Amino acid sequence: MDGAGTSEEPLSGLSSPSPGSPLLCPQSNMDVKGYKFVRWRVWLTRLAAVLSLGLILLLFHWRPRLAILARCCSCSLASAEILTLKDSYGRQHVVEVLQEVAEEGSLELVGEPEDNEWRDTVTLYKEEKTVLRYYVFEGQRYMWLDRKGAFCLVSVLSEDWTCLDLHGYQNGLSLQEQKSRRRTYGANIIDVPVKSYVKLLFEEVLNPFYVFQVFSIILWMIDEYYIYAVCIFVISMLSICISLYEIHKQSVTLHNMAQVITTVTIRRDSGLEESVSSVNLVPGDCLVIPPEGMLMPCDAVLLTGECLVNESMLTGESIPVLKTPLPHTEKAYSSESERRHTLFCGTTLIQARGGGPRGSSTIAVVVNTGFFTAKGRLVSSILHPRPMNFRFYRDSAKFLLVLGFVALVGSIYSFVILFRNNETVKSLIIRGLDIVTIVVPPALPAAMTTATIYAQHRLKSHGVFCISPPCINVCAKVSVFCFDKTGTLTEEGLDVWGVMEGGPAGFSELVSGPSLLPPGGHLLSGLACCHTVTLLNGQPLGDPLDLRMVESTSWTLQEPEDDGEVLNAEFGGHRVLAVMRPPAQQLQAEETATSEALAIVQRFPFSSALQRMSVVTVTQGGRSALAFIKGSPEKVASLCRAESVPSQFSSYLNSFSKEGLRVLALAFKPLDRDTDLTTIQRKEVEKDMEFLGLLMMKNLVKPESAQAINILNLASLRTIMVTGDNILTAVNVAKSCGMVGSDERVIFVNTTPYTAHDTPTLMFNLEEDAVSNQNSAVVSLGLYQEDSRYHLAISGDSFASLCNYFPEYLPKVLLRTTVFARMTPDQKTQLVKELQKLNYCVGMCGDGANDCGALKAADVGVSLSEAEASVASPFTSKTNNISCVPLLIREARCSLVTSFSLFAYMAMYSLIQFCSVLILYTVKMVLFDEQFLFIDIVLVTFVALVMGRGGPSAVLHPVRPPASLLSLPVMGSIFIHLSLVLLGQLAAILIARSEDWYVPQNLTNTEPSIENTTVFYSSGFQYIFIAVVVTKGYPHKKPLYHNVLYLCLLLVLTAIMIWLVVYPGYFTAEFFTLYNITNIEFKMLLLGLAALNFIICFFAEVLIEMGVLNCLHLLRGTRPSKKQYKCLNKLLSNSPSWPPLNELLPCMSYGPLSQLAVVYPPLDTQPPKLMQ
């Protein structure tokens, strides 16, 4: 938050926190200004509201900031009554500063770290009572802290908690302390308000769209268009009722999903346990978790015991996750880094096992409540989504301004014409305003959403669910799609391919499975114990890799029953989490080297960031203790004593990885029996290990993956693999699924990190196979030939070094890299954001919790999940493969093209009617009430409703559909068609007036006339055939005849118009006030003129689609693309020296490729023309 707008410095004399301070708000650059009411301004605005008949209040409702500027004056934040907030997207918000009287002395109970801050805070306002000042924004509470001179998130009071601090809350809070914290943090509830129908009606009616409708209806009533006004009123009320029902239904659904109120058991500082409502929970409360599990009402960190948790609601991951106790360390607690120890709000605890002595209860400490929980933040993102920065939506608003300008011109013209015709002042005003209601169609926004609604229903029928319909059109512009590997491109399940023991003497022979390893060996014990598999109703649950690994050992998993004292006694009194027992036949077959049961007494779960997991085990009787570690071979080897790692480690690892195998390494070390195994730290366990061997698992590529990738490649959509697996395995999978062609080369990007003695370096190396067959210099000479392609591959460590030390090379590497391996969840998110900086429209497809950050950051996120809808991403596919991605893009392109067609049709409808009215004004005529009704309801509304029903093309075309409504082809098309329809109507009137039987008439506006009837006939056909003209088909949408309902409707409407022209009948002519034209030749001439008008418009549109208007671009000359990645791609394509193979590039502001670097400097120093 910015202190700008404050008129005085905080009394503490300290400077306000910087805008980037994470203490202030989740959005790093939110600007806050303070205001207080001025009495005379308030009374003046009240007077203005009365004099303007409430119009000022309506303006204030639409623009609350104007109300603040009118009623208030600027002041310091310390004394502000009202605040204006400007978020990172530039949106303005107005919030009220709330005050609450605190109980005397209660603030001293908040806690030591923040005690001083609170005392300073309240001193400024403390006269006789202590007052808390705060405001609520997007559900989160911001409290005034005088020492910081700013409103800060109340979560700052607990952000410095360390893991040891949290363990200190294990005894619970006192009742008084809990009350104090509840006053500070607020209630533990994610409250999604469900507004009453009356309030919703009030808000809906005040929407600019409906205000314009009310204005139009009043105008039509004054103009005596009673029937038309009543029909539009009924339709508007029906639309409002449907909208209110849907809004209320969605609010109730979200309210029920968000709000979790239950009865929980907490521990007081007296040692007693008490049942309370979850609404009263505060950070620091000690939560007692029942063995049967529960629905978590808050974020809590697990201190004792283990919990099996279903997190599918938050992450889309259907596999239950085992949560383990938080370690006793001085490390600062973070829910992201300690997520394997954190129980998140909204997740379901399937079961819990006590971790204290004698099987005592499972204990957790509350760390976040309300909207500060993980679920609360996700609900907030649904209630307050980031603005859709999509060009189509921006241009549609701009085009309404263009139509407004046209309406202004039309109003001036009608005013002049009617003034010359000696019309009354009332008539001049009504006719002028009537032009505005004609040119700016109030139904335009609603009509444009029908395409996405149809697409959403079609996607749902294919098992793809969407929680954000506007994202469908955005998906049409995706230019790069990132895919997770395991479970997304490859099968979730793994098959054990082989095991190889290793040690200082080297590797032993490869065996096909762990069960063939000699009994009693540490490798077999490690494979049986190093996992997080647990039992639920006697069935093993856990990660598919762990399940398959344990199954291959043939060992049996046993878990403690009741208080677990029996197993604890069997293993020397240690608290046992699980026991792994070898098969009975193995115990009987070997007498010398037998495998014995091992008890798992401590688990350190797998972490994507650490790329490993470990366990601590004890033998029967507690005679000895062993620690086992399992993880990525590179990471495990780095934690082992160097002499224990075989010299052939790298060569074997590379060999197995190139075959596409998932390779895991295992290691162990004995532990001192006197060590407290329940409190031992992870860093103490995972060091100085003894290398045991390698486990190879075959992860098959899903058959649908290669097909989907091939479709995307043919459509010129770039595909990227982002995985936590080994880089060579990832490259093999990329080749198997078609991301990398068989004739395409792979170049590895390698960096060395910064050390005290060495500067970072960067090197590009060709894949070994390519270099071994031919000289690398010869290979590099052919890298940039037109028929030669190459792909870069980079690991997570190298990616981090590239971002930190080689920012000038980052854009070039991103442009050519297809494989990102050993990437942590945070690095996946960072990659998506870096691609977006290059102006890519990024799609991301994943299946697990590790992808949640990237799925949320991407422009289009697709989660492969069995859940019908997941808040982890806008799209959720129940089909567990990536075949949904081409389908989604096809549907999105169809939706965008249809939205363009609907927009063009609604614009042309208003402009055709605009031409008709102005022409009739010129000849002293008007369109009649019933004619307007027939045009708007029968001809236009039905057409607009069914136009979007056409499905997508069966083939994904290489050319993406345009997203700009203000482009030359779109605006040129509308202008050309407007000219042609205007000429058509003028030609019809001129032909009618040139007929021998034509007799000028001196009529009132209530009698039929030749001019009115002729314009009504000709415009009626124009409304129909312009729908055919603007309806797009190839290449993104099926041809028009596939939309049978639409085609039949057009034919029926055409038949109705022909009937009205040829033989309307007496009653029909009376109803529409049509002139009785008896000349059949003239009627045929009108039909022929309409057909000619249609043919000319149709072929004009065909020429426009073929690019005839693009020749006008030659007049302004060629301009560079505004997309950074396109500019960079052009530069690299013309650079024969990049990437430099086998050259050591040192870290510097600009590397050896100074020419390229100068032309395309780092992202943060881009020239303005490339950043547009």
Side-chain angles (χ1 to χ4, degrees), residues 592-608:
T592 55
T594 60
S595 296
E596 59 177 331
L598 293 174
I600 302 172
V601 296
Q602 182 69 284
R603 284 192 181 107
F604 300 103
F606 177 78
S607 165
S608 297

PDB file of all heavy atoms in Angstrom, residues 592-608:
ATOM      1  N   THR A 592      20.189 -68.022   7.522  1.00  0.00           N
ATOM      2  CA  THR A 592      21.325 -67.156   7.848  1.00  0.00           C
ATOM      3  C   THR A 592      20.998 -65.699   7.595  1.00  0.00           C
ATOM      4  O   THR A 592      21.007 -64.879   8.509  1.00  0.00           O
ATOM      5  CB  THR A 592      22.545 -67.579   7.018  1.00  0.00           C
ATOM      6  OG1 THR A 592      22.175 -67.572   5.616  1.00  0.00           O
ATOM      7  CG2 THR A 592      22.982 -68.961   7.409  1.00  0.00           C
ATOM      8  N   ALA A 593      20.689 -65.347   6.356  1.00  0.00           N
ATOM      9  CA  ALA A 593      20.411 -63.946   6.002  1.00  0.00           C
ATOM     10  C   ALA A 593      18.917 -63.774   5.841  1.00  0.00           C
ATOM     11  O   ALA A 593      18.382 -63.830   4.752  1.00  0.00           O
ATOM     12  CB  ALA A 593      21.134 -63.567   4.718  1.00  0.00           C
ATOM     13  N   THR A 594      18.236 -63.662   6.935  1.00  0.00           N
ATOM     14  CA  THR A 594      16.787 -63.530   6.867  1.00  0.00           C
ATOM     15  C   THR A 594      16.382 -62.055   6.913  1.00  0.00           C
ATOM     16  O   THR A 594      17.086 -61.228   7.492  1.00  0.00           O
ATOM     17  CB  THR A 594      16.121 -64.259   8.038  1.00  0.00           C
ATOM     18  OG1 THR A 594      16.594 -63.693   9.261  1.00  0.00           O
ATOM     19  CG2 THR A 594      16.417 -65.727   7.986  1.00  0.00           C
ATOM     20  N   SER A 595      15.233 -61.749   6.298  1.00  0.00           N
ATOM     21  CA  SER A 595      14.643 -60.418   6.418  1.00  0.00           C
ATOM     22  C   SER A 595      13.767 -60.403   7.654  1.00  0.00           C
ATOM     23  O   SER A 595      13.046 -61.369   7.915  1.00  0.00           O
ATOM     24  CB  SER A 595      13.795 -60.112   5.181  1.00  0.00           C
ATOM     25  OG  SER A 595      14.599 -60.066   4.024  1.00  0.00           O
ATOM     26  N   GLU A 596      13.863 -59.360   8.429  1.00  0.00           N
ATOM     27  CA  GLU A 596      13.030 -59.257   9.618  1.00  0.00           C
ATOM     28  C   GLU A 596      12.120 -58.044   9.497  1.00  0.00           C
ATOM     29  O   GLU A 596      12.371 -57.113   8.734  1.00  0.00           O
ATOM     30  CB  GLU A 596      13.893 -59.145  10.874  1.00  0.00           C
ATOM     31  CG  GLU A 596      14.825 -57.955  10.901  1.00  0.00           C
ATOM     32  CD  GLU A 596      15.593 -57.873  12.215  1.00  0.00           C
ATOM     33  OE1 GLU A 596      15.043 -58.344  13.226  1.00  0.00           O
ATOM     34  OE2 GLU A 596      16.710 -57.347  12.210  1.00  0.00           O
ATOM     35  N   ALA A 597      11.052 -58.099  10.274  1.00  0.00           N
ATOM     36  CA  ALA A 597      10.072 -57.014  10.238  1.00  0.00           C
ATOM     37  C   ALA A 597      10.714 -55.715  10.710  1.00  0.00           C
ATOM     38  O   ALA A 597      11.566 -55.702  11.603  1.00  0.00           O
ATOM     39  CB  ALA A 597       8.878 -57.362  11.112  1.00  0.00           C
ATOM     40  N   LEU A 598      10.292 -54.632  10.089  1.00  0.00           N
ATOM     41  CA  LEU A 598      10.777 -53.300  10.450  1.00  0.00           C
ATOM     42  C   LEU A 598       9.584 -52.413  10.769  1.00  0.00           C
ATOM     43  O   LEU A 598       8.552 -52.460  10.095  1.00  0.00           O
ATOM     44  CB  LEU A 598      11.577 -52.684   9.308  1.00  0.00           C
ATOM     45  CG  LEU A 598      12.913 -53.366   8.952  1.00  0.00           C
ATOM     46  CD1 LEU A 598      13.520 -52.722   7.714  1.00  0.00           C
ATOM     47  CD2 LEU A 598      13.884 -53.273  10.122  1.00  0.00           C
ATOM     48  N   ALA A 599       9.733 -51.601  11.804  1.00  0.00           N
ATOM     49  CA  ALA A 599       8.680 -50.660  12.187  1.00  0.00           C
ATOM     50  C   ALA A 599       9.086 -49.253  11.748  1.00  0.00           C
ATOM     51  O   ALA A 599      10.210 -48.811  11.996  1.00  0.00           O
ATOM     52  CB  ALA A 599       8.450 -50.701  13.690  1.00  0.00           C
ATOM     53  N   ILE A 600       8.168 -48.574  11.096  1.00  0.00           N
ATOM     54  CA  ILE A 600       8.402 -47.180  10.704  1.00  0.00           C
ATOM     55  C   ILE A 600       7.982 -46.302  11.876  1.00  0.00           C
ATOM     56  O   ILE A 600       6.823 -46.319  12.306  1.00  0.00           O
ATOM     57  CB  ILE A 600       7.584 -46.814   9.442  1.00  0.00           C
ATOM     58  CG1 ILE A 600       7.949 -47.754   8.286  1.00  0.00           C
ATOM     59  CG2 ILE A 600       7.799 -45.365   9.047  1.00  0.00           C
ATOM     60  CD1 ILE A 600       7.057 -47.597   7.068  1.00  0.00           C
ATOM     61  N   VAL A 601       8.937 -45.525  12.400  1.00  0.00           N
ATOM     62  CA  VAL A 601       8.652 -44.683  13.562  1.00  0.00           C
ATOM     63  C   VAL A 601       8.684 -43.189  13.233  1.00  0.00           C
ATOM     64  O   VAL A 601       8.280 -42.365  14.060  1.00  0.00           O
ATOM     65  CB  VAL A 601       9.646 -44.988  14.705  1.00  0.00           C
ATOM     66  CG1 VAL A 601       9.484 -46.417  15.188  1.00  0.00           C
ATOM     67  CG2 VAL A 601      11.088 -44.732  14.262  1.00  0.00           C
ATOM     68  N   GLN A 602       9.180 -42.847  12.077  1.00  0.00           N
ATOM     69  CA  GLN A 602       9.225 -41.438  11.660  1.00  0.00           C
ATOM     70  C   GLN A 602       9.192 -41.365  10.145  1.00  0.00           C
ATOM     71  O   GLN A 602       9.872 -42.143   9.470  1.00  0.00           O
ATOM     72  CB  GLN A 602      10.494 -40.750  12.189  1.00  0.00           C
ATOM     73  CG  GLN A 602      10.624 -39.282  11.862  1.00  0.00           C
ATOM     74  CD  GLN A 602       9.628 -38.408  12.585  1.00  0.00           C
ATOM     75  OE1 GLN A 602       8.460 -38.374  12.206  1.00  0.00           O
ATOM     76  NE2 GLN A 602      10.083 -37.727  13.632  1.00  0.00           N
ATOM     77  N   ARG A 603       8.374 -40.456   9.612  1.00  0.00           N
ATOM     78  CA  ARG A 603       8.297 -40.262   8.161  1.00  0.00           C
ATOM     79  C   ARG A 603       8.582 -38.807   7.817  1.00  0.00           C
ATOM     80  O   ARG A 603       8.086 -37.894   8.486  1.00  0.00           O
ATOM     81  CB  ARG A 603       6.907 -40.615   7.625  1.00  0.00           C
ATOM     82  CG  ARG A 603       6.585 -42.099   7.509  1.00  0.00           C
ATOM     83  CD  ARG A 603       5.295 -42.254   6.698  1.00  0.00           C
ATOM     84  NE  ARG A 603       4.881 -43.641   6.548  1.00  0.00           N
ATOM     85  CZ  ARG A 603       3.860 -44.183   7.188  1.00  0.00           C
ATOM     86  NH1 ARG A 603       3.168 -43.454   8.051  1.00  0.00           N
ATOM     87  NH2 ARG A 603       3.523 -45.433   6.981  1.00  0.00           N
ATOM     88  N   PHE A 604       9.343 -38.610   6.767  1.00  0.00           N
ATOM     89  CA  PHE A 604       9.529 -37.290   6.179  1.00  0.00           C
ATOM     90  C   PHE A 604       9.018 -37.386   4.737  1.00  0.00           C
ATOM     91  O   PHE A 604       9.712 -37.911   3.868  1.00  0.00           O
ATOM     92  CB  PHE A 604      11.000 -36.871   6.215  1.00  0.00           C
ATOM     93  CG  PHE A 604      11.560 -36.797   7.606  1.00  0.00           C
ATOM     94  CD1 PHE A 604      12.390 -37.799   8.092  1.00  0.00           C
ATOM     95  CD2 PHE A 604      11.232 -35.739   8.445  1.00  0.00           C
ATOM     96  CE1 PHE A 604      12.898 -37.741   9.368  1.00  0.00           C
ATOM     97  CE2 PHE A 604      11.738 -35.676   9.732  1.00  0.00           C
ATOM     98  CZ  PHE A 604      12.575 -36.677  10.196  1.00  0.00           C
ATOM     99  N   PRO A 605       7.776 -36.921   4.481  1.00  0.00           N
ATOM    100  CA  PRO A 605       7.113 -37.197   3.197  1.00  0.00           C
ATOM    101  C   PRO A 605       7.861 -36.613   2.012  1.00  0.00           C
ATOM    102  O   PRO A 605       8.720 -35.722   2.149  1.00  0.00           O
ATOM    103  CB  PRO A 605       5.736 -36.537   3.348  1.00  0.00           C
ATOM    104  CG  PRO A 605       5.558 -36.340   4.811  1.00  0.00           C
ATOM    105  CD  PRO A 605       6.929 -36.152   5.369  1.00  0.00           C
ATOM    106  N   PHE A 606       7.506 -37.129   0.841  1.00  0.00           N
ATOM    107  CA  PHE A 606       8.114 -36.656  -0.399  1.00  0.00           C
ATOM    108  C   PHE A 606       7.783 -35.185  -0.613  1.00  0.00           C
ATOM    109  O   PHE A 606       6.653 -34.742  -0.426  1.00  0.00           O
ATOM    110  CB  PHE A 606       7.611 -37.466  -1.593  1.00  0.00           C
ATOM    111  CG  PHE A 606       8.143 -36.966  -2.913  1.00  0.00           C
ATOM    112  CD1 PHE A 606       9.427 -37.278  -3.312  1.00  0.00           C
ATOM    113  CD2 PHE A 606       7.366 -36.168  -3.728  1.00  0.00           C
ATOM    114  CE1 PHE A 606       9.930 -36.823  -4.517  1.00  0.00           C
ATOM    115  CE2 PHE A 606       7.846 -35.704  -4.936  1.00  0.00           C
ATOM    116  CZ  PHE A 606       9.141 -36.033  -5.332  1.00  0.00           C
ATOM    117  N   SER A 607       8.787 -34.441  -1.003  1.00  0.00           N
ATOM    118  CA  SER A 607       8.634 -33.025  -1.318  1.00  0.00           C
ATOM    119  C   SER A 607       9.128 -32.791  -2.735  1.00  0.00           C
ATOM    120  O   SER A 607      10.248 -33.185  -3.088  1.00  0.00           O
ATOM    121  CB  SER A 607       9.430 -32.160  -0.331  1.00  0.00           C
ATOM    122  OG  SER A 607       9.557 -30.842  -0.816  1.00  0.00           O
ATOM    123  N   SER A 608       8.285 -32.155  -3.555  1.00  0.00           N
ATOM    124  CA  SER A 608       8.695 -31.872  -4.930  1.00  0.00           C
ATOM    125  C   SER A 608       9.884 -30.932  -4.958  1.00  0.00           C
ATOM    126  O   SER A 608      10.747 -31.024  -5.834  1.00  0.00           O
ATOM    127  CB  SER A 608       7.525 -31.254  -5.700  1.00  0.00           C
ATOM    128  OG  SER A 608       6.448 -32.149  -5.787  1.00  0.00           O
TER     129      SER A 608
END
